[in-house]
Amino acid sequence: MPETSKRPTIRDVAREAGVSVTTVSHAMNNKGRLDIRTRERVIEVANQLGYVPNRAAQRLVSGKSLTIGLLMPPSTSDQVFSTDLHAPAITAAAHAAVEAGYALTIMPQLPTDGTLGPHVVDGVLVLEPQPDDPRVAGLRRLNLPFVAVGDRVPDAHSVHAHEVDGARQLLDHLRSLGARSLGVLAPERPTASVQESLQALQDQWTLPGEEIVVERVPLAAVEAGDVSASADHLLAAADVHALLGLHPTFGAALVQAVVESGRSVPGDVLVAQYVDGISAAVSSPALTALDVRPAQQAALGLTMLLEMLAGKDTPKERIIRPRLTVRTSTVARRRGDRMLARRESVQGG
């Protein structure tokens, strides 16, 4: 092939591959109904020539920015940002966007002037929408396509974990270890998903002899990363057999409260957490946790958004089944241990 000092163009690729400019465009952007061999041949020639599509030109021709926005939760700060929940979602969304030929831009918040501010995007992933979320209202006023990730939004496309199934997995596991009294640490202002999970826990923890106590953590304490007072209060409120944190940082606080009370985990009290991740795995003891699969949610949400942008029919709601990861904080004990003795006394009574 002839060498050239100038940057290769789409016309150079078309000439060398023996196809039209339109065919090259479709092959490079994975569009149209091209024969697989033709598509592979065009891509091979483009790579040999060192051709890189001009994204600026593509935006001008298509009228699209080829950029997806990811709108963070309004309460997210340095203290509240979760490496277990938000980081996997951002990473997965970025990879999925790049594979589809899009860029991903992080949007900490929407401006209050009814615009997108400096952001130019074709659509938005809304991470963890809140009840009556002003971000959703703002996007609707802008008539901008969006998909909610992590929670459902009325009359909008969304992808989220199956809250009821997640609650069932956790409760079945705790029941199997003899727990009958459950203490739950929940945010004072939960997301819709967390609220539905809490409701599912309360609806399902209803067998004879079972009781549940809920302690709400003030938003200021969550943002400050200090929920020890709420954890201590919950532990003192009832003679609980098991504790469950409905936030990525609550599990460690519950373990600390148990230890400082002179008891042990899991010997005296079982502890579990509603969001799995690195922090749960490296905790001491390692925490049993529910993997709500934030990476899969974000990747699926981006796929749904791209289908919407392409004018394709896509289901309004996609639900992902969470997975329970059992670790040391809820391991089964020997027959003589206190929890099993409690279980036998309940069953025998």
Side-chain angles (χ1 to χ4, degrees), residues 73 75-77 79-86 128 170 184-191 194 197 201 215 217-219 221-227 244-254 271-277 279-280 287-290 292:
S75 61
T76 297
S77 65
Q79 290 75 27
V80 178
F81 180 86
S82 169
T83 56
D84 294 332
L85 191 60
H86 301 134
E128 290 187 72
L170 273 166
V184 180
L185 199 62
E188 185 178 60
R189 292 173 53 188
T191 63
V194 170
S197 298
L201 291 170
E215 176 77 14
V217 182
L219 178 62
V222 178
E223 291 180 335
D226 183 9
V227 301
L244 175 61
L246 296 187
H247 187 277
T249 64
F250 287 1
L254 289 170
V271 175
Q273 182 172 283
Y274 216 73
V275 176
D276 195 15
S279 63
L287 291 167
T288 290
L290 192 70
V292 295

Side-chain angles (χ1 to χ4, degrees), residues 10 37 45 110 123 139 161 191 218 239 242 280 319:
I10 191 172
R37 290 169 296 184
V45 170
L110 280 180
L139 293 173
T191 63
D239 183 21
I319 301 175

